[in-house]
Amino acid sequence: TGFPEMLDGRVKTLHPKIHGGLLAIRDKKEHMDQIKKHDIGLIDMVVVNLYPFEKTVADPDVKLEEAIENIDIGGPSMLRSAAKNSRDVVVLCNPERYKDVILELKKNEGAISDELHFKLGVEVFEKTSKYDAAIYDYLKLQAGSKEQRAESREKEFPDTLDLKFEKVQGLRYGENPHQKASFYKDKNINVVGISNARQLHGKELSFNNIIDLDAAIEIVKEFKEPAASVIKHTNPCGAATGKTLADAYNDALDCDRDSAFGSIVGLNREVDLKTAEAIINAGFTECIIAPSYEKKALDILMDKKNLRLIEAGELKGIEKDYDLKKVVGGLLIQDRDIFNIEEKGLKVVTKKKPAEEEMASLLFGWKIVKHVRSNAIVLSRGTKTVGVGAGQMSRVDSMVIAIMKSRGL
């Protein structure tokens, strides 16, 4: 521009030297004449990563002044100018698109197809609209009085709820083959789980796989000791903790080996060779989700062509989040159930008091039953399930099923 960066970096790129070079239509003579007259160079590609406003305001202790300084002005302006003229300018606002552009440049000897030009321009307006919405949502909250802001934080649930999720992948189908489906994640919440996990092996995940993988990893997050869960149709057909991961897996499997055929396995430790061998020997398993895998374990698991292996990263326990449930034309929202019962918080109201081992088993069962679809009954012995009754209209029926399962019937 011929000017230095000024005003603490607030002014850098707002200038005809920049925006003339972006907005000039290449095949319009009048535009080219003006560009030449004012000695403005053409800009053929714009690559901008915006100031991290959403990440900044996600910190509950952020100051208003800091939030305001993270409102990008020049970045969106350059992106919008380039996107308006996307026929002539390549515009990138998403690092995941870099590889697409590089491939096209190589393929077309330094050129980008008209189709990709247009798609990248459209992505910019999606990006900047979400960015502006995040700024509006934050500043609107700040516009109230201190009392109103305090009340809003206390309520936690806003009067208007704007949900922003980013597409992770399209799915082959939904819950049933005739339903279309996609998988989205909340970009602003950094949690360890299926939404941020990495697939190491196996064919593409299905709609039902993703739901079951979420259930599998959330159960084992409950425990500090080695833990395993075996999931079918979102419910555990077995769960256990043990001295080793292999012990935990075998105990979880023993709860209901018949139901475990084609199951999803959740583990809260790096998968070692002994655990991997136990899973292979157990029969057909659909997916495994775990923090990581030892190389020897990974090698033998990857011999199974149809076994999907998911790496979640180091577990941090149960994270605070919201639980959303969709109804036709509406949405229910509640705090996620992260309540943890400890022995010191319990009051025994029966004449017979649980022995130490019984209490440990009760606390284990309580953690598991939270993850069973109601009506839910969990029977435990030590720190392993021996019978699970799920999803019945009557608690009595759930109990009958749990007892039946515990007897191996």
Side-chain angles (χ1 to χ4, degrees):
T1 65
F3 287 88
E5 178 182 314
M6 61 183 71
L7 305 180
D8 295 323
R10 286 188 168 204
V11 178
K12 289 190 283 285
T13 59
L14 298 173
H15 195 284
K17 290 275 188 182
I18 301 286
H19 292 273
L22 292 174
L23 287 162
I25 298 173
R26 301 333 192 229
D27 59 5
K28 193 167 187 177
K29 185 177 182 302
E30 296 92 327
H31 281 203
M32 291 299 98
D33 288 344
Q34 290 176 52
I35 286 291
K36 186 176 180 180
K37 178 182 176 182
H38 297 289
D39 193 26
I40 295 173
L42 295 174
I43 299 173
D44 295 327
M45 181 180 288
V46 174
V47 184
V48 173
N49 296 321
L50 299 176
Y51 290 174
F53 180 83
E54 291 163 290
K55 183 179 178 181
T56 300
V57 299
D59 180 355
D61 298 322
V62 68
K63 300 286 189 255
L64 177 60
E65 294 77 14
E66 183 184 354
I68 288 174
E69 289 308 315
N70 276 277
I71 297 175
D72 204 322
I73 303 300
S77 299
M78 287 190 293
L79 286 175
R80 289 172 65 86
S81 292
K84 181 173 181 176
N85 199 24
S86 63
R87 188 181 68 170
D88 292 324
V89 180
V90 178
V91 56
L92 284 152
C93 63
N94 178 4
E96 291 181 9
R97 281 293 204 172
Y98 295 172
K99 62 180 182 294
D100 299 331
V101 171
I102 290 168
L103 285 172
E104 287 234 351
L105 287 169
K106 290 179 178 177
K107 178 183 174 184
N108 301 323
E109 298 181 351
I112 302 294
S113 67
D114 291 342
E115 182 184 8
L116 185 57
H117 264 275
F118 187 75
K119 282 182 178 178
L120 292 172
V122 172
E123 281 187 13
V124 163
F125 291 108
E126 179 188 22
K127 175 79 171 181
T128 56
S129 66
K130 289 179 178 178
Y131 194 74
D132 286 341
I135 294 168
Y136 166 74
D137 290 343
Y138 175 77
L139 293 180
K140 181 184 176 186
L141 178 61
Q142 305 309 309
S145 66
K146 286 184 179 179
E147 291 77 16
Q148 288 172 324
R149 291 200 297 273
E151 182 185 350
S152 176
R153 280 194 296 271
E154 225 171 84
K155 283 197 308 185
E156 289 203 25
F157 303 111
D159 295 329
T160 302
L161 182 64
D162 295 316
L163 300 177
K164 298 179 182 70
F165 288 81
E166 182 182 59
K167 188 174 181 179
V168 176
Q169 66 185 89
L171 302 174
R172 287 177 295 160
Y173 54 84
E175 194 168 359
N176 296 292
H178 60 272
Q179 294 173 273
K180 295 178 182 178
S182 279
F183 180 36
Y184 291 77
K185 72 173 182 178
D186 189 335
K187 194 177 177 182
N188 297 317
I189 297 180
N190 184 26
V191 295
V192 179
I194 186 57
S195 62
N196 292 308
R198 186 165 67 105
Q199 185 167 352
L200 304 179
H201 177 69
K203 61 185 179 181
E204 183 182 331
L205 295 175
S206 71
F207 184 96
N208 293 326
N209 287 157
I210 291 169
I211 293 174
D212 286 347
L213 284 162
D214 180 64
I217 197 69
E218 292 307 316
I219 287 179
V220 296
K221 278 184 185 180
E222 296 271 5
F223 302 98
K224 293 179 181 178
E225 55 270 51
S229 62
V230 180
I231 302 293
K232 283 290 289 290
H233 305 294
T234 72
N235 280 302
C237 44
T241 64
K243 290 182 179 179
T244 69
L245 195 63
D247 289 341
Y249 171 72
N250 285 318
D251 283 346
L253 188 67
D254 282 341
C255 182
D256 189 354
R257 284 181 174 264
D258 289 340
S259 296
F261 181 83
S263 60
I264 309 293
V265 173
L267 304 164
N268 70 346
R269 292 285 194 282
E270 181 174 68
V271 181
D272 56 21
L273 181 59
K274 191 173 180 182
T275 306
E277 288 173 340
I279 294 172
I280 295 294
N281 293 333
F284 176 51
T285 299
E286 279 261 13
C287 312
I288 303 171
I289 185 167
S292 58
Y293 299 78
E294 287 182 2
K295 186 180 184 308
K296 287 183 178 179
L298 196 58
D299 288 343
I300 70 163
L301 291 170
M302 289 177 73
D303 283 340
K304 294 290 184 180
K305 182 181 176 182
N306 293 323
L307 175 58
R308 301 165 175 92
L309 302 177
I310 311 298
E311 185 177 68
E314 185 180 354
L315 304 188
K316 304 173 184 176
I318 302 290
E319 297 101 335
K320 181 177 173 61
D321 194 4
Y322 291 116
D323 179 30
L324 310 178
K325 288 186 170 57
K326 184 78 174 65
V327 297
V328 176
L331 185 75
L332 292 165
I333 180 169
Q334 63 178 348
D335 283 331
R336 192 163 171 223
D337 185 1
I338 60 173
F339 182 65
N340 182 39
I341 286 184
E342 296 179 345
E343 184 177 355
K344 62 184 179 182
L346 298 177
K347 181 181 179 182
V348 178
V349 295
T350 54
K351 290 180 180 178
K352 181 181 177 182
K353 294 186 177 182
E356 185 177 341
E357 288 185 2
E358 291 173 323
M359 179 58 74
S361 190
L362 285 167
L363 291 172
F364 167 82
W366 183 268
K367 287 182 177 181
I368 299 301
V369 80
K370 181 171 77 174
H371 297 273
V372 181
R373 300 298 175 262
S374 189
N375 280 315
I377 299 293
V378 166
L379 303 180
S380 60
R381 181 179 296 123
T383 57
K384 63 181 181 180
T385 58
V386 293
V388 179
Q392 301 302 306
M393 289 68 74
S394 161
R395 287 187 181 89
V396 174
D397 289 344
S398 289
M399 177 60 83
V400 169
I401 291 170
I403 293 171
M404 179 186 72
K405 295 286 186 182
S406 73
R407 293 171 180 169
L409 300 178

